Amino acid sequence: QVQLVESGGGLVQAGGSLRVSCAASGGTFSSYTMGWFRQAPGKEREFVAAIIWSGDNTYYGDSVKGRFTISRDNAKNTVYLQMNNLKREDTAVYLCAADTKGGSYYYRIRSEYDYWGQGTQVTVSS
């Protein structure tokens, strides 16, 4: 069983930066594809970013490309999402997810991920 715990969310002004983290336990983190999704009230869960097991390949949703950076530290079993130039529309609960198959083609698809964290709230004020 894999447990994922997000942290680092909070309130930030538009144009500011924030880094959220996701610590994994109970599995072989270094073999997983990890993803970040977000969900705003009344909206569907949206793909934000993904990173394969080695960190060599990263993928981003169109709305965050060029502003957000996903990274991982396999020694610490942790994946990060650095968010810069935040906008009000980035306000959401941010959830990390683990694809234990280590896939690299369907990273945008929620059903490809086996485990999910509870999420951390990010609120961007104007």
Side-chain angles (χ1 to χ4, degrees):
Q1 194 77 359
V2 176
Q3 291 82 42
L4 302 173
V5 179
E6 300 94 338
S7 62
L11 176 65
V12 63
Q13 285 192 329
S17 299
L18 201 62
R19 188 178 80 160
V20 292
S21 304
C22 171
S25 61
T28 312
F29 177 82
S30 59
S31 68
Y32 302 159
T33 293
M34 298 298 297
W36 283 99
F37 289 75
R38 67 186 183 186
Q39 190 159 20
K43 294 188 177 181
E44 286 198 1
R45 193 165 293 186
E46 175 190 15
F47 169 74
V48 175
I51 186 168
I52 68 167
W53 66 272
S54 64
D56 288 344
N57 293 83
T58 57
Y59 310 94
Y60 296 94
D62 290 341
S63 61
V64 307
K65 205 171 292 184
R67 299 187 298 123
F68 290 11
T69 303
I70 189 171
S71 61
R72 66 190 297 160
D73 185 338
N74 286 342
K76 296 182 178 180
N77 288 355
T78 302
V79 61
Y80 305 96
L81 184 69
Q82 176 68 43
M83 302 180 288
N84 297 330
N85 190 21
L86 281 159
K87 305 176 181 180
R88 287 192 64 185
E89 51 264 42
D90 295 319
T91 295
V93 174
Y94 284 72
L95 305 102
C96 72
D99 171 6
T100 60
K101 304 177 299 299
S104 60
Y105 292 104
Y106 304 110
Y107 48 85
R108 293 178 179 269
I109 302 176
R110 289 170 288 178
S111 60
E112 288 297 301
Y113 294 86
D114 313 282
Y115 296 95
W116 293 81
Q118 293 297 309
T120 186
Q121 176 71 46
V122 172
T123 303
V124 184
S125 65
S126 58

